Amino acid sequence: MRDQTRSPAFDASQGRSDILGAEFLGDGTNFALFSDHATKVELCLFDDDGKEELHRLTLPDMEGGIWFGYLPDIMPGQVYGYRVHGPYEPENGHRFNANKLLLDPYARELRGEIIWDDALHGYTIGEDDLSFDTRDSAPFMPKGVVVDSRFDWDTERALRTPWADTVIYEAHVKGLTQQHPDVPDDLRGTFRGLGTEPVISHLQKIGVTTIELLPIHAFANDRYLVEKDLSNYWGYSTLSFFAPHAPYLKTGQIREVKEAIRRFHKAGIEVILDVVFNHTCEGNELGQTLSFRGIDNASYYLLADDKRHSFDTTGTGNTLNVAHPMVLRMVMDSLRYWVQVMHVDGFRFDLASTLGRETEGFERDGSFFNAIRQDPILSGVKLIAEPWDIGDGGYQVGGYRWPFREWNDKFRDDTRAFWRRDPGMLGAICERLSGSPVQFNHSHRPATSSVNFVAAHDGFTLWDTVSYNDKHNDANGEDGRDGHDHNISDNLGAEGPSDDAGIDTARLRRVRGMLATMFLSQGVPMILAGDEMGNSQNGNNNAYCQDNAISWLDWDGARPDICDAVAALTAFRTETGLARTRFAHSPEEAQPGQPVCLWLHPRGDRMQDDDWSEGELRALGLQLQPEGGTEVLIVINAGDDGEFVLPEGDWTLRIDTARDDVACDEAVSGTLPIGWQSVTALIRAA
């Protein structure tokens, strides 16, 4: 073991500027950090606990703004940080302050956590941000840890589940496992708990192919939340783009993430990550100096015209400057690291419109998007955009190029409104069942471009959508002002839980109807974890700060009637090959080999122009005729009990959400009874 009392010395002959971060090379570690405006960079080595700074060494070389040096005998487990020297000129965008210990943006593993203290700020709290604070921030900072990335993956190969076969499950590492009765107590809330058999078997039962994890990158629990005894539960406040969030690791070691991913892959389930490259946890110019701000504020962040202030398109105080080539490289390096080293299967990009912002605003062919499209590694994994931010022109649903897919909030809103029996929704729900072609059928994009959802982490859960008319966010400590009011919800007769059997039945019917609409539509279905079992957040539609039973899944209160319906719907979707990569067209417009769709009135013929404006019509049918294979008829009815005249031929009823047992296998012809607030699906063999 190396004598830590002896100051190590750099080996100038082995230093490398081409690999950023702390890279263990077998007999030592190469350290490299980008800062275009720094005058000196110091590497600080700490004891194993990260409490005592043992050595402070100046990185000996710099090329192209990359400061670097190779230290022999520095092995995995070494704890480190940086101090970066340069001008403290906020009015020119520079906020260097070597009194502040800085986290390596490329750190793969962290030791310690943020301890909120005024010393974490580059300026003196109580004065303006032009002042200069001389206190050492190291005692309050997490540090990076040198790691060895080797891991036995058992020669596994990437799953590459086709988009047409994909069913996404949006989940939170802790929320999914914290109250699971079959996950050992000491593993709950961690990747080791996530990768247990009870969790995986549940996902297999309901037909999930891909789990999408809310942010697992190391993030900060914002100071104002900690002071209110709350926390940044969702994790959209990134501290590091390479290191996993330490509380999700039982031992603190990144191999736990790899072990969980390996278990999911062996079960045939992909793992994709929700990533936040649009901003960091450092906030605006009045925020703390933890990493990027102190390394090179003018390079890593977008700044206002006066350079002193941050330019914010995210609502979080700052915007990462991905148009800068070295910042773009960091983002690309992070993505490739998670694919090649950690074996994840793709990414969902939070506020992705920010990543496309260049000098003239959002650019669908911006540097970030083009870099990914040409990348031989990243262009082959699953890529999903949250296609909006809060800046001008930020709403870009349908505005991205292949290979990106997009969250489609139009699907959520129109589906909720249709099932709430809002007037004039027939045309809109047909668009959503068809894969939203107005938004996505262009630029050679496939019919799997729309990620369809009826609930996500941000907003009401699906059960709360049928249980509350208004948000109930008092627990967030903002007097109910936070969270949006556009819930498109209906409590069906009682605000919150109800013992009324009629209300409960109506809620169940509507939830099944919305789920069936999602799973039977063209595109890619995404279910919010817990919606398959009626999970509630007690009407909180902004539970970002609730690391407690409000957000954790209530496994003991799970409703098997919903879970069984989801299993039946995913099985039907798979059995019939319902999802297509090509959009369906009317018989008059379809080209040879294209799937054909017919919109049918309950009376049995095709919908006519006047039918679309029929105010009381709440039911219609979609007949899908593929080129060969199984013909499918989907009948949705948001109204009362009724009848639907079937097209000629022998049909088999396979799905009926009005029945206790949703899965069916019943020959039918002629006129089909359709229950109130229900969806039926039938097949006719070619």
Side-chain angles (χ1 to χ4, degrees):
M1 187 174 182
R2 186 180 65 83
D3 180 7
Q4 292 189 321
T5 62
R6 179 173 55 86
S7 180
F10 288 102
D11 182 345
S13 67
Q14 296 193 62
R16 294 177 57 178
S17 62
D18 61 316
I19 47 175
L20 288 161
E23 191 77 18
F24 174 61
L25 299 177
D27 56 0
T29 299
N30 191 81
F31 294 88
L33 180 77
F34 169 74
S35 178
D36 204 29
H37 298 97
T39 56
K40 182 173 74 170
V41 175
E42 293 177 310
L43 171 67
C44 303
L45 302 180
F46 289 81
D47 64 2
D48 292 343
D49 294 328
K51 303 294 186 184
E52 181 183 356
E53 183 178 329
L54 302 176
H55 307 290
R56 190 178 300 189
L57 311 167
T58 300
L59 289 179
D61 295 302
M62 190 273 283
E63 295 177 0
I66 297 176
W67 304 76
F68 64 99
Y70 177 85
L71 282 178
D73 301 325
I74 296 298
M75 309 300 282
Q78 176 64 60
V79 181
Y80 72 101
Y82 288 110
R83 298 180 188 273
V84 181
H85 298 254
Y88 189 81
E89 301 170 355
E91 65 278 9
N92 293 318
H94 301 309
R95 296 180 179 273
F96 295 98
N97 186 337
N99 297 295
K100 310 305 170 184
L101 187 79
L102 305 173
L103 182 67
D104 178 7
Y106 280 71
R108 267 59 165 182
E109 191 175 290
L110 303 188
R111 186 72 45 84
E113 61 182 1
I114 297 173
I115 301 171
W116 291 113
D117 189 271
D118 290 349
L120 293 172
H121 292 261
Y123 66 96
T124 303
I125 293 293
E127 302 179 26
D128 66 26
D129 63 301
L130 299 178
S131 61
F132 187 81
D133 189 90
T134 60
R135 288 171 291 183
D136 182 11
S137 69
F140 313 105
M141 275 291 298
K143 286 83 177 177
V145 181
V146 177
V147 302
D148 185 347
S149 294
R150 289 176 295 182
F151 184 77
D152 181 9
W153 287 100
D154 295 340
T155 65
E156 70 156 30
R157 294 184 178 181
L159 296 176
R160 296 289 190 269
T161 301
W163 277 109
D165 300 332
T166 297
V167 175
I168 299 174
Y169 187 84
E170 190 196 26
H172 187 284
V173 171
K174 186 172 185 180
L176 186 60
T177 60
Q178 187 65 23
Q179 295 190 120
H180 198 303
D182 297 323
V183 173
D185 290 350
D186 63 329
L187 301 184
R188 295 179 183 181
T190 71
F191 271 94
R192 287 196 168 170
L194 185 72
T196 56
E197 188 277 335
V199 173
I200 290 175
S201 63
H202 172 74
L203 300 183
Q204 290 176 315
K205 174 186 175 183
I206 61 174
V208 168
T209 69
T210 307
I211 186 170
E212 178 182 309
L213 298 175
L214 267 68
I216 68 162
H217 287 168
F219 59 85
N221 279 318
D222 306 83
R223 186 173 188 174
Y224 80 95
L225 290 174
V226 172
E227 291 175 349
K228 294 196 299 183
D229 293 325
L230 298 170
S231 67
N232 187 351
Y233 172 70
W234 285 349
Y236 291 94
S237 189
T238 307
L239 173 64
S240 170
F241 298 120
F242 290 81
H245 192 53
Y248 296 161
L249 306 176
K250 181 174 173 56
T251 65
Q253 297 181 344
I254 60 172
R255 68 175 294 110
E256 294 179 35
V257 181
K258 298 177 181 179
E259 290 167 351
I261 293 172
R262 183 172 61 186
R263 292 190 185 104
F264 276 105
H265 285 179
K266 287 183 176 180
I269 299 174
E270 298 175 306
V271 179
I272 62 178
L273 305 182
D274 191 337
V275 289
V276 187
F277 290 112
N278 54 78
H279 73 280
T280 77
C281 66
E282 289 185 302
N284 63 17
E285 65 276 359
L286 298 179
Q288 51 277 352
T289 297
L290 307 174
S291 181
F292 310 96
R293 174 164 289 127
I295 294 171
D296 192 347
N297 184 65
S299 292
Y300 283 95
Y301 291 120
L302 286 178
L303 302 179
D305 291 340
D306 64 3
K307 302 298 184 185
R308 176 180 173 183
H309 297 93
S310 300
F311 185 76
D312 179 18
T313 65
T314 66
T316 62
N318 65 55
T319 304
L320 203 66
N321 184 18
V322 293
H324 189 290
M326 291 303 292
V327 180
L328 176 60
R329 175 182 169 178
M330 176 187 69
V331 172
M332 298 294 287
D333 284 348
S334 168
L335 295 172
R336 281 190 291 262
Y337 169 78
W338 284 97
V339 172
Q340 294 180 293
V341 177
M342 305 299 286
H343 284 212
V344 304
D345 302 282
F347 307 94
R348 178 264 190 188
F349 295 90
D350 179 65
L351 299 182
S353 292
T354 296
L355 303 176
R357 288 196 174 274
E358 306 211 350
T359 55
E360 300 300 321
F362 175 81
E363 294 288 346
R364 69 194 302 237
D365 292 316
S367 301
F368 170 76
F369 299 128
N370 284 341
I372 284 188
R373 291 183 71 199
Q374 64 78 43
D375 189 283
I377 301 299
L378 299 178
S379 61
V381 303
K382 284 187 164 62
L383 303 170
I384 302 171
E386 182 185 37
W388 50 75
D389 65 18
I390 67 168
D392 290 340
Y395 187 77
Q396 291 290 331
V397 172
Y400 290 72
R401 290 194 185 275
W402 181 91
F404 280 87
R405 272 62 178 177
E406 301 175 37
W407 271 26
N408 186 359
D409 63 333
K410 294 180 182 295
F411 185 96
R412 176 198 62 200
D413 293 353
D414 288 345
T415 300
R416 289 186 180 187
F418 174 79
W419 285 100
R420 195 173 64 173
R421 303 190 183 192
D422 288 9
M425 295 304 300
L426 281 180
I429 201 65
C430 291
E431 281 285 313
R432 306 312 155 214
L433 285 165
S434 302
S436 300
V438 171
Q439 283 71 39
F440 299 106
N441 190 11
H442 61 81
S443 307
H444 307 297
R445 300 190 72 180
T448 54
S449 295
S450 175
V451 175
N452 301 326
F453 62 100
V454 287
H457 69 274
D458 186 3
F460 276 160
T461 68
L462 186 55
W463 191 259
D464 285 354
T465 300
V466 299
S467 302
Y468 294 90
N469 285 342
D470 303 300
K471 64 186 180 184
H472 296 265
N473 296 356
D474 291 343
N476 295 355
E478 298 181 40
D479 297 323
R481 294 187 302 272
D482 66 301
H484 62 79
D485 296 309
H486 188 60
N487 297 302
I488 317 180
S489 61
D490 177 9
N491 66 24
L492 289 166
E495 188 73 356
S498 174
D499 294 328
D500 187 297
I503 291 176
D504 185 70
T505 299
R507 288 174 175 175
L508 176 61
R509 284 281 189 99
R510 187 166 291 183
V511 162
R512 283 178 164 182
M514 286 191 281
L515 288 171
T517 304
M518 179 178 71
F519 282 110
L520 300 179
S521 292
Q522 296 301 296
V524 180
M526 183 189 79
I527 186 169
L528 172 65
D531 279 354
E532 78 279 15
M533 52 191 186
N535 191 64
S536 171
Q537 292 179 170
N538 303 322
N540 192 320
N541 75 348
N542 188 35
Y544 77 102
C545 57
Q546 299 297 330
D547 187 3
N548 51 49
I550 291 176
S551 295
W552 304 337
L553 267 60
D554 179 14
W555 290 90
D556 290 336
R559 298 190 60 141
D561 43 13
I562 303 177
C563 190
D564 291 344
V566 170
L569 289 163
T570 56
F572 178 81
R573 183 181 175 89
T574 300
E575 171 200 346
T576 58
L578 182 67
R580 306 287 173 174
T581 59
R582 290 190 292 179
F583 286 94
H585 297 271
S586 68
E588 296 78 16
E589 298 175 340
Q591 299 297 315
Q594 287 185 330
V596 173
C597 64
L598 299 169
W599 296 104
L600 305 179
H601 192 280
R603 63 177 173 256
D605 59 352
R606 291 178 65 177
M607 291 281 288
Q608 304 300 312
D609 289 345
D610 291 343
D611 296 331
W612 294 105
S613 57
E614 186 179 334
E616 298 304 315
L617 185 60
R618 297 285 186 269
L620 82 166
L622 168 59
Q623 186 177 355
L624 288 169
Q625 301 171 334
E627 184 71 15
T630 304
E631 187 173 356
V632 176
L633 174 62
I634 300 164
V635 180
I636 59 173
N637 177 29
D640 300 327
D641 289 339
E643 293 182 338
F644 192 95
V645 179
L646 297 172
E648 292 184 2
D650 296 325
W651 292 87
T652 302
L653 181 64
R654 300 301 302 274
I655 295 290
D656 187 350
T657 63
R659 303 187 181 193
D660 291 338
D661 188 357
V662 169
C664 314
D665 189 6
E666 179 181 318
V668 292
S669 61
T671 300
L672 175 73
I674 51 175
W676 57 278
Q677 290 197 115
S678 70
V679 175
T680 54
L682 308 91
I683 62 173
R684 182 169 64 179

